[in-house]
């Protein structure tokens, strides 16, 4: 069975809606489309030759190497969601070497994890697969829980262990976001000076982003603006959750917005909502990778393929998927990661 036939079968009733859609509000001709020369997006930038080399290492590694697309395995849930809650489904991943092994076996572009986990095996693996060191986290041991991203180490530590890139999270909209923007902007500048690439987890976080039982944390307008601030502080790649709704600014009634803005930029189609996220990443000059989300069991394979199709057809640059892969046996984890890669390797699935 060909890739496209397999993908169509997995999508089921969603196949026609996702594979045949054409985006009209922001047409693909306005975008910089991912491709073999994606690193050249930075050719006229202030990024040094060392940073370009790091970006090339990331984009040219693994099954998607040379395509302009990324499939990164991120496992920082031991901090972000607690280790016991994250790894009880597959106890192997208490051992961080198995995280790296999964990424290598699945031929991912890179592996993103914590200082301690990657440092423990850096001499054995940092030259075999690009390391993305996550430099800040939200820890859950403070009671009552608070939601803040704090640095867990230095940029220099990541460079010393041979990291290709650093990753960081900002909770846009939170009370702590101003400090986080300043901290991460400074860290990204230092990383660029040392020759590493930068990836920003652009998450929204504020209790007011839930209104009338509707959750706007994944609204296209809010997440798109988070992306736009992220590229402003010189993230080389943006990680964002797939949008599930829109009209966050309008319905919550804050920031700058207008009815005409929404009518001009997007529809309620999932590809068009994601296209708005891509547009906010300098029209695709900075790559957008969407997160794979949590594990729901048997539906994970379809959800992963569906997310990849939406991201690719919107003009995005790939997926960064963790829990759907590591919370299951190694063989199944590899299979779901490769099913995502097949979407990006299938020429019949083009930008809408």
């Amino acid at each position: 069975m060909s890739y496209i036939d397999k993908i169509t079968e997995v999508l089921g009733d969603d196949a026609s809606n996702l594979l045949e859609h054409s985006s009209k509000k922001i047409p693909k001709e306005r975008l910089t489309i991912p491709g073999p020369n994606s690193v050249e997006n930075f050719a006229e930038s202030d990024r040094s030759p060392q940073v370009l080399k790091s970006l090339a290492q990331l984009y040219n590694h693994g099954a998607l190497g040379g395509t302009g697309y990324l499939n990164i395995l991120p496992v920082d849930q031991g901090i972000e969601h607690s280790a016991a809650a994250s790894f009880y489904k597959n106890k192997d991943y208490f051992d961080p070497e198995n995280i790296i092994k999964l990424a290598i076996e699945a031929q991912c572009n890179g592996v993103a994890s914590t200082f301690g986990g990657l440092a423990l095996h850096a001499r054995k693996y940092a030259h075999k697969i690009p390391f993305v060191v996550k430099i800040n986290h939200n820890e859950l041991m403070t009671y009552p829980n608070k939601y803040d991203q704090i640095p867990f180490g230095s940029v220099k530590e990541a460079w010393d262990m041979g990291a290709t890139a650093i990753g960081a999270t900002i909770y846009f909209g939170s009370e702590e976001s101003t400090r986080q923007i300043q901290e991460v902007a400074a860290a990204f500048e230092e990383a660029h000076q040392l020759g590493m690439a930068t990836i920003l987890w652009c998450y929204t976080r504020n209790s007011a982003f839930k209104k009338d039982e509707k959750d706007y944390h994944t609204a296209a307008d809010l997440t798109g603006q988070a992306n736009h601030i992220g590229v402003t502080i010189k993230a080389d790649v943006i990680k964002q959750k797939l949008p599930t709704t829109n009209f966050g600014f309008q319905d919550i009634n804050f920031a700058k917005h207008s009815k005409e803005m929404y009518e001009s930029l997007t529809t309620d189609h999932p590809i068009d909502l994601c296209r708005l996220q891509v547009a906010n990443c300098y029209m695709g000059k900075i790559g957008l990778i969407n997160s794979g989300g949590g594990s729901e069991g048997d539906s994970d394979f379809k959800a992963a393929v569906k997310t990849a199709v939406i991201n690719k057809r919107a003009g995005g640059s790939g997926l960064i998927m963790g829990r759907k892969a590591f919370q299951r046996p190694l063989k199944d984890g590899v299979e779901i990661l490769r099913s995502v890669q097949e979407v990006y390797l299938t020429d019949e699935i083009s930008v809408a």
Side-chain angles (χ1 to χ4, degrees), residues 25-245:
K25 297 291 186 176
I26 304 176
K28 63 182 178 181
E29 289 77 16
R30 290 182 175 268
L31 302 179
T32 297
I33 305 297
N37 297 316
S38 285
V39 176
E40 296 302 311
N41 293 347
F42 298 93
E44 297 179 352
S45 73
D46 68 345
R47 277 44 160 202
S48 70
Q50 291 289 351
V51 174
L52 296 183
K53 184 172 75 173
S54 293
L55 284 165
Q57 288 174 344
L58 198 62
Y59 275 100
N60 292 332
H61 191 83
L64 297 182
T67 65
Y69 291 105
L70 299 169
N71 180 210
I72 298 172
L73 175 72
V75 186
D76 61 355
Q77 283 85 355
I79 306 298
E80 298 283 348
H81 300 277
S82 86
S86 298
F87 302 139
Y88 79 93
K89 293 182 180 180
N90 190 335
K91 303 175 185 66
D92 289 343
Y93 293 105
F94 278 106
D95 181 344
E97 185 174 10
N98 289 322
I99 295 169
I100 303 170
K101 286 181 176 179
L102 172 59
I104 291 174
E105 181 69 20
Q107 295 183 294
C108 293
N109 295 75
V111 57
S113 196
T114 61
F115 273 104
L118 293 177
L120 193 61
H121 299 286
R123 293 184 184 275
K124 185 175 181 180
Y125 292 107
H127 59 292
K128 295 179 181 178
I129 185 170
F131 277 13
V132 180
V133 179
K134 188 70 170 23
I135 65 169
N136 66 358
H137 301 283
N138 175 43
E139 55 85 17
L140 295 177
M141 286 296 290
T142 302
Y143 185 81
N145 285 163
K146 61 180 180 179
Y147 297 96
D148 189 13
Q149 289 284 329
I150 57 174
F152 267 51
S154 70
V155 176
K156 180 64 162 50
E157 287 177 81
W159 182 81
D160 284 340
M161 77 170 76
T164 299
I166 63 166
T169 297
I170 294 175
Y171 284 154
F172 291 98
S174 70
E175 292 183 4
E176 299 82 11
S177 62
T178 299
R179 191 205 79 244
Q180 292 169 14
I181 291 169
Q182 293 170 331
E183 286 178 349
V184 173
F188 280 6
E189 181 61 25
E190 183 180 357
H192 283 153
Q193 289 175 359
L194 290 171
M196 291 183 288
T198 58
I199 302 177
L200 185 62
W201 278 238
C202 285
Y203 290 163
T204 61
R205 187 63 61 85
N206 192 308
S207 59
F209 292 171
K210 291 184 178 181
K211 183 180 179 182
D212 299 330
E213 298 184 355
K214 190 165 185 178
D215 192 345
Y216 293 96
H217 282 94
T218 52
D221 53 348
L222 268 64
T223 54
Q225 182 60 23
N227 291 356
H228 200 71
I229 298 174
V231 297
T232 298
I233 62 174
K234 298 200 295 187
D236 299 322
V237 178
I238 294 290
K239 177 195 177 188
Q240 184 56 267
K241 296 179 180 179
L242 203 66
T244 59
T245 188

Side-chain angles (χ1 to χ4, degrees), residues 325-346:
F326 73 76
Q327 290 184 332
R328 59 183 70 240
L330 174 65
K331 179 178 178 292
D332 294 341
V334 169
E335 183 180 352
I336 197 169
L337 288 166
R338 289 188 175 170
S339 71
V340 164
Q341 293 163 4
E342 288 173 2
V343 171
Y344 295 99
L345 293 170
T346 300

